[in-house]
């Protein structure tokens, strides 16, 4: 989902972000943003710490296949 990709992109360039810093815009309702943030946490890509939200090791691995300019996952060839 586009919102989940935006969350990942922001965390790639920041070591940790608070909820308000992570939320892309005020146009998105909190419950919609919470849903997508919870999905990333449930998948193990994002973790909530006392300092804020961070990428987990598997989130960092996932982000290595991420095109930050176009905000999409790059498809890799099968070996």
């Amino acid at each position: 989902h586009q919102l989940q990709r935006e969350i990942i992109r922001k965390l790639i360039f920041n070591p940790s972000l608070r909820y308000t810093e992570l939320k892309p815009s005020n146009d998105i309702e909190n419950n919609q943003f919470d849903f997508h943030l919870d999905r990333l946490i449930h998948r193990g890509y994002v973790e909530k710490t006392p300092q804020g939200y961070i990428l987990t090791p598997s989130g960092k691995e996932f982000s290595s296949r991420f095109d930050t300019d176009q905000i999409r996952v790059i498809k890799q060839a099968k070996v």
Side-chain angles (χ1 to χ4, degrees):
H1 190 269
Q2 178 67 24
L3 187 52
Q4 293 176 11
R5 292 188 298 240
E6 182 65 29
I7 292 169
I8 295 286
R9 187 184 70 78
K10 282 189 173 186
L11 288 172
I12 288 171
F13 296 110
N14 297 286
S16 75
L17 290 172
R18 295 181 310 190
Y19 180 89
T20 54
E21 297 168 329
L22 197 55
K23 189 174 175 193
S25 70
N26 292 331
D27 296 338
I28 298 168
E29 294 181 23
N30 285 344
N31 60 354
Q32 181 183 11
F33 180 71
D34 290 343
F35 172 79
H36 290 290
L37 183 58
D38 286 343
R39 296 279 295 179
L40 291 172
I41 292 170
H42 180 71
R43 289 182 179 154
Y45 295 148
V46 176
E47 180 182 351
K48 184 178 181 181
T49 66
Q51 294 79 26
Y53 292 92
I54 62 168
L55 282 177
T56 63
S58 65
K60 290 177 183 177
E61 180 186 340
F62 175 76
S63 68
S64 69
R65 301 184 307 264
F66 201 78
D67 182 354
T68 56
D69 293 331
Q70 296 183 4
I71 311 176
R72 65 182 178 90
V73 177
I74 300 170
K75 294 186 180 189
Q76 294 182 331
K78 294 182 181 179
V79 178

